[in-house]
Amino acid sequence: MKEIVRCERFILLLVPAICGYPQLFIYGVPTTNPFGREKEIGVLSNFLKSGQPVGLMGVRRVGKTSLLLASLHRVSLPYIYVSAEEFTSGKSFDFYSFVSSYAVSVTSVLYSFAGYKVLIEKGKSVVKQLRDLIGAVKVTFNIPEVSATLDVTLDKVERKKRLEDEFPKIVDLPQIMAEKFGIPKVVVAIDEFQYLTLAKQSMPNIFHVLRSKWQFHTRVSYVISGSLIGMMDELLNSKDQPFYQFFYLMKVEPLSSKASKEFLKRGFEYYGVRINDEEIDEIINYVDGLPAWLNLVGLKIVNERKSVGDVLNSLVEDVNVVNAVEGDLKKLSPKAKSVVKKLAILGGEGRPKDLGDDRWGVIRALQQLIRYGIVEKKDRGIYKIIDPLLVHYLKGD
């Protein structure tokens, strides 16, 4: 396996690792070898090789990032992976850190692929990393377009000056460097892409700039992903948005009942735990096919040596569940929290008239819940909570 380049906000893997069996019962971290996603990995990998821009959409805990990372490994191309969520705090976005970190990751990955050894030290400031890379550009490769852009960007990042003029040049870096180094194709992946809407505070036309540049990058494949389904839908499917009809959209669905059963059976067999078919069905009925929850339940049964019933009965009190669910709920307005609570009490789905007398307030709350990927609208005006474990949590059962 080739060199792995790491920095504080990125994990940049240049070529695929040797993959064995899918990882079983690993909770909280993405895997490069997810179970039951072979078809989706194949489709996405082919798109990335061909240069087709792709937009992945999937609710939290459905395994979207694992699918993305597995596909990036599969294509055997240099790639840059960025999570926009890492630069958010509440409703603010650290645009300066995002720009400088993106410049560091693009430059270091493509230098490494071209044969120049680059060491990105964990804990070292992004500004220092960028300064070191500028020197490497000048001394080693002498690419004026790159070094001049990084020079000016570094100066403005340090002084917290506006980056309107430099940002388009930073966006061009993957294409310029791929051309200079003779790299046929580079992949740029931005996870939780919807959080870039917060960057409009610093760069109001950020999406216009990205679209205007990306559409002419012949050596770069772009893939974005997002878990806030409603926000992603607005960005990618609204006619007044720059990215309208730019990406091929792929929705990541929960594992099917059949795949979920196979996953649990393999996991329990691997760890030598005897679980019958009825108990496996009980798990799936409780958490559906969301890989994160299937992994957590399997992990608890294997390690705590408790029965399926005991684990499921206490699951809503598990600290991992509490932290994950409360992290989702804290983003909501008080009205949206009230509405989703009422939906849970109704069994997870209902009509607006069942959720309160303030009809317009309910509709606005439902719109927010849809934007955040917590609720989906079904046929005949019925709204449903997507994650069944959220229903159990809010009901307290």
Side-chain angles (χ1 to χ4, degrees):
M1 191 174 88
K2 283 191 178 180
E3 177 184 3
I4 296 178
V5 183
R6 297 180 182 272
C7 77
E8 188 172 1
R9 295 180 184 269
F10 305 88
I11 300 177
L12 311 167
L13 302 164
L14 303 184
V15 295
I18 298 173
C19 297
Y21 294 105
Q23 290 180 305
L24 302 169
F25 300 167
I26 302 294
Y27 175 77
V29 294
T31 172
T32 57
N33 199 6
F35 182 89
R37 298 297 192 190
E38 190 62 29
K39 181 179 178 180
E40 295 98 321
I41 293 169
V43 171
L44 181 54
S45 299
N46 287 335
F47 281 145
L48 297 180
K49 291 176 183 177
S50 69
Q52 170 65 52
V54 179
L56 282 180
M57 300 169 66
V59 296
R60 285 194 183 279
R61 294 174 279 277
V62 79
K64 169 182 50 61
T65 299
S66 292
L67 169 59
L68 175 57
L69 291 176
S71 301
L72 291 172
H73 275 68
R74 176 77 62 86
V75 295
S76 298
L77 296 172
Y79 71 78
I80 295 92
Y81 169 84
V82 184
S83 175
E85 188 174 14
E86 294 294 325
F87 303 92
T88 65
S89 178
K91 293 185 177 181
S92 63
F93 188 87
D94 189 347
F95 186 64
Y96 294 96
S97 291
F98 172 77
V99 171
S100 53
S101 295
Y102 182 79
V104 166
S105 59
V106 170
T107 308
S108 60
V109 166
L110 296 187
Y111 268 13
S112 295
F113 196 82
Y116 181 78
K117 186 175 178 61
V118 178
L119 177 63
I120 300 300
E121 299 176 23
K122 186 174 181 179
K124 191 175 182 182
S125 75
V126 173
V127 170
K128 184 65 168 66
Q129 304 276 17
L130 187 54
R131 189 180 293 283
D132 291 347
L133 284 170
I134 292 172
V137 172
K138 291 178 178 177
V139 173
T140 309
F141 290 104
N142 188 26
I143 308 175
E145 307 100 300
V146 176
S147 59
T149 296
L150 296 180
D151 255 328
V152 176
T153 300
L154 176 59
D155 178 68
K156 291 198 172 184
V157 166
E158 290 180 318
R159 298 171 183 271
K160 294 291 182 180
K161 290 186 176 180
R162 301 184 73 83
L163 289 168
E164 290 94 336
D165 294 335
E166 284 63 52
F167 182 65
K169 300 173 186 176
I170 293 293
V171 176
D172 273 333
L173 281 179
Q175 176 70 18
I176 292 173
M177 297 185 72
E179 291 174 351
K180 295 293 184 181
F181 296 157
I183 302 173
K185 191 68 68 178
V186 177
V187 181
V188 171
I190 302 182
D191 205 357
E192 298 300 351
F193 183 77
Q194 71 277 340
Y195 285 109
L196 286 182
T197 56
L198 299 176
K200 289 184 177 182
Q201 301 164 9
S202 302
M203 188 83 183
N205 64 337
I206 183 172
F207 293 124
H208 287 86
V209 171
L210 292 175
R211 169 65 189 260
S212 67
K213 293 294 184 180
W214 287 1
Q215 64 186 341
F216 296 114
H217 288 177
T218 57
R219 293 184 180 238
V220 188
S221 293
Y222 289 97
V223 54
I224 65 170
S225 65
S227 60
L228 305 190
I229 300 297
M231 292 179 67
M232 288 290 287
D233 185 66
E234 291 171 14
L235 286 172
L236 305 183
N237 291 325
S238 298
K239 292 182 178 180
D240 60 343
Q241 293 296 319
F243 281 115
Y244 176 65
Q245 293 188 338
F246 180 79
F247 294 98
Y248 179 90
L249 302 182
M250 292 180 61
K251 187 173 182 181
V252 184
E253 301 285 359
L255 294 177
S256 67
S257 178
K258 180 180 179 180
S260 298
K261 288 180 181 179
E262 183 64 22
F263 171 74
L264 291 172
K265 283 184 177 180
R266 285 198 192 183
F268 290 130
E269 287 175 2
Y270 178 83
Y271 289 106
V273 176
R274 291 187 178 182
I275 300 292
N276 61 44
D277 289 344
E278 290 75 16
E279 290 173 313
I280 286 179
D281 287 337
E282 188 179 353
I283 295 171
I284 296 171
N285 289 335
Y286 196 84
V287 301
D288 199 9
L290 292 175
W293 297 143
L294 292 172
N295 273 292
L296 180 62
V297 172
L299 188 67
K300 288 176 69 65
I301 291 172
V302 166
N303 287 277
E304 296 178 7
R305 298 292 172 171
K306 293 181 179 179
S307 69
V308 170
D310 287 343
V311 168
L312 294 182
N313 288 335
S314 62
L315 192 59
V316 295
E317 300 171 358
D318 182 273
V319 63
N320 299 286
V321 174
V322 174
N323 288 341
V325 173
E326 287 296 332
D328 293 342
L329 295 176
K330 73 179 182 180
K331 301 173 184 176
L332 303 176
S333 67
K335 185 65 176 179
K337 290 180 182 178
S338 172
V339 165
V340 75
K341 174 77 171 179
K342 290 176 180 178
L343 269 179
I345 292 172
L346 291 171
E349 60 181 57
R351 293 181 170 85
K353 65 185 179 74
D354 304 320
L355 303 173
D357 297 329
D358 179 10
R359 180 173 176 81
W360 292 113
V362 168
I363 292 298
R364 287 194 295 271
L366 288 169
Q367 289 173 343
Q368 185 186 43
L369 291 167
I370 290 173
R371 291 186 80 233
Y372 285 1
I374 294 174
V375 165
E376 62 182 345
K377 186 177 181 180
K378 310 293 286 186
D379 295 335
R380 301 184 302 278
I382 295 176
Y383 292 82
K384 179 182 178 181
I385 296 175
I386 297 172
D387 187 342
L389 190 51
L390 177 59
V391 178
H392 298 306
Y393 179 84
L394 291 174
K395 289 175 65 178
D397 60 17

